[in-house]
Amino acid sequence: EKGGYDYFMLKEIAEQPKAVADTLLGRIGADGRLSLDEVRIPDGVLREAQKVVIVACGTAFHAGLIAKYAIEHWTRMPCEVELASEFRYRDPILDHRTLVVAISQSGETMDTLMALRHAREQGAKVLAICNTNGSTIPRESDAVLYTHAGPEVAVASTKAFLTQLVACYLVALYLGQVRGTKWGDEIQAVVKELAEIGTQVEEVLGTMEPVRELARGLAGKNTVLFLGRHVGHPVALEGALKLKELAYMHAEGFAAGELKHGPIALIEEDLPVVVIVPSPRGRSVLHDKIVSNIQEIRARGARTIVIAEEGDETVVPYADHLVRIPVTPTLLQPLVATVPLQVFACELATARGNEVDQPRNLAKSVTVE
Ligand code: F6R
């Protein structure tokens, strides 16, 4: 049932190109227009909505953080992202003009369920992004966009995360379409690239051997830090979460700009720091800022593990280890940048003798609050 792989996690990492393609299937027309019939919330309601609020936990929360960038940039709607477990306790401001998006692989996470119940009691419309047909969260929502990752068995979420991202991008683009956001060249190009993104995920998977070797070499370390900016920040958080849950190591993700406000004090000789570098095209300011961050930490002794786009030569002098990812639009980069971090965590867990598919203390779906 593991299809020749040692662990379900490895199998599920390998299935990502297909999971992504399946989640896109039939949803983008030849003319680049989206048809999401399952989003049964009437277009009128989507047009009138004043803000989007995303609720989720863990890895799904990281997908939500990335979705915020896409929704705000493509639709100009304000978007908040909140941990489902915190949501209802702060008396959130919700009404019938709020679109709540609840993201959950299992569809059974109690924190997320309680958050969406609270939202609906306040009159908000709830759209679920879910991987499990007929589970509680989609049943209790106004509409559901299913991710088609197939069953995810390993406790650590991998393919579900990538498909959650795809679903979030689809929702963002669909909102733009319905609300008549100016469909500029940029969005047109993004839709085209999104439709083909499975190929790029496949490409990354084909180049992971050096990442595995690197991970094995770090098995004796106690701490790994992850840095990113913009959508790279949630990717850093996700990389750190994977490492915590699988390798039982201290791992933290930071927004690279926050470094100087405290975390830089953690940098010491040979501390592994993974840095996710945004594309040098487009938002080049962002790119240049992170290159300075890499220089700063390296000058203080960090062992830099740099994840950067093919052809980005500016990072080469500062990278102790360089991991290449394909060229993508800035907002889609998480789909390729997360993959090496999954492989890294999985290999480190194996090297440390941990149970990859069933990490200690964790359950696949958390049905208690
Ligand atoms: C991390 C992981 C968890 C889940 C979280 C939400 O690898 O698997 O953080 O993402 O418990 O679960 P779902 O998506 O089922 O609501």
Side-chain angles (χ1 to χ4, degrees):
E1 62 203 283
K2 291 180 193 146
Y5 293 93
D6 288 344
Y7 309 108
F8 279 107
M9 186 178 175
L10 287 172
K11 174 171 177 266
E12 290 163 4
I13 288 173
E15 284 170 350
Q16 291 184 116
K18 181 173 187 305
V20 162
D22 288 349
T23 301
L24 288 163
L25 199 70
R27 289 170 169 169
I28 300 179
D31 57 355
R33 290 190 63 82
L34 275 73
S35 50
L36 300 183
D37 298 337
E38 308 126 283
V39 180
R40 295 180 309 253
I41 299 171
D43 284 359
V45 174
L46 296 179
R47 262 195 295 276
E48 294 300 308
Q50 286 180 331
K51 68 169 176 180
V52 179
V53 175
I54 302 176
V55 291
C57 304
T59 288
F61 172 70
H62 298 153
L65 290 176
I66 292 164
K68 175 184 164 79
Y69 290 86
I71 290 171
E72 293 194 335
H73 184 68
W74 291 336
T75 74
R76 307 306 295 146
M77 288 173 86
C79 175
E80 298 163 15
V81 192
E82 182 130 351
L83 289 167
S85 56
E86 290 290 327
F87 186 62
R88 66 194 176 113
Y89 301 107
R90 69 166 174 94
D91 199 9
I93 299 162
L94 301 161
D95 61 23
H96 66 285
R97 307 234 282 200
T98 312
L99 175 67
V100 171
V101 179
I103 311 174
S104 175
Q105 188 286 129
S106 62
E108 301 297 345
T109 300
M110 188 56 77
D111 288 315
T112 310
L113 180 61
M114 296 311 275
L116 84 84
R117 281 185 185 158
H118 181 77
R120 290 193 80 197
E121 277 162 20
Q122 312 296 308
K125 288 278 182 244
V126 178
L127 168 65
I129 291 178
C130 185
N131 195 46
T132 312
N133 255 295
S135 55
T136 312
I137 287 171
R139 274 207 321 269
E140 292 206 16
S141 298
D142 294 285
V144 54
L145 187 65
Y146 280 110
T147 50
H148 297 304
E152 192 178 63
V153 178
V155 165
S157 190
T158 54
K159 61 176 181 170
F161 176 68
L162 256 61
T163 61
Q164 283 161 354
L165 288 178
V166 167
C168 287
Y169 293 132
L170 289 172
V171 167
L173 292 165
Y174 188 68
L175 281 172
Q177 178 175 302
V178 168
R179 294 165 68 91
T181 309
K182 237 175 101 222
W183 222 239
D185 293 349
E186 183 198 329
I187 294 188
Q188 214 82 53
V190 159
V191 171
K192 253 177 95 182
E193 300 240 17
L194 181 60
E196 303 294 324
I197 202 82
T199 321
Q200 275 148 313
V201 176
E202 185 85 65
E203 232 175 88
V204 186
L205 286 170
T207 60
M208 287 296 96
E209 198 39 53
V211 172
R212 286 189 199 99
E213 198 185 308
L214 168 65
R216 289 192 289 270
L218 297 176
K221 293 281 180 191
N222 295 317
T223 299
V224 180
L225 301 184
F226 294 78
L227 304 179
R229 278 180 183 262
H230 193 261
V231 289
H233 176 221
V235 171
L237 299 178
E238 175 61 6
L241 177 61
K242 283 283 150 314
L243 207 58
K244 280 180 255 202
E245 65 181 334
L246 292 161
Y248 317 149
M249 286 167 86
H250 170 228
E252 272 193 85
F254 297 111
E258 269 296 292
L259 214 58
K260 57 186 177 298
H261 300 292
I264 198 159
L266 292 168
I267 307 290
E268 56 187 17
E269 200 54 38
D270 213 35
L271 178 81
V273 184
V274 180
V275 188
I276 299 105
V277 180
S279 166
R281 302 156 305 109
R283 292 173 183 73
S284 58
V285 186
L286 208 62
H287 174 269
D288 299 349
K289 284 263 158 59
I290 214 156
V291 175
S292 330
N293 294 139
I294 303 172
Q295 285 173 260
E296 283 156 17
I297 55 169
R298 198 150 184 271
R300 289 162 178 79
R303 172 154 15 152
T304 57
I305 303 162
V306 176
I307 301 185
E309 203 174 272
E310 258 344 307
D312 179 357
E313 297 306 323
T314 51
V315 294
V316 175
Y318 315 111
D320 295 310
H321 307 271
L322 185 55
V323 181
R324 288 297 190 185
I325 51 175
V327 176
T328 55
T330 302
L331 281 164
L332 302 187
Q333 198 200 47
L335 286 169
V336 290
T338 306
V339 176
L341 306 185
Q342 299 168 339
V343 172
F344 182 70
C346 185
E347 191 68 27
L348 250 167
T350 311
R352 287 162 72 95
N354 298 352
E355 178 52 64
V356 171
D357 287 336
Q358 277 293 340
R360 67 185 182 199
N361 308 341
L362 292 172
K364 185 63 184 163
S365 63
V366 184
T367 52
V368 291
E369 253 193 294

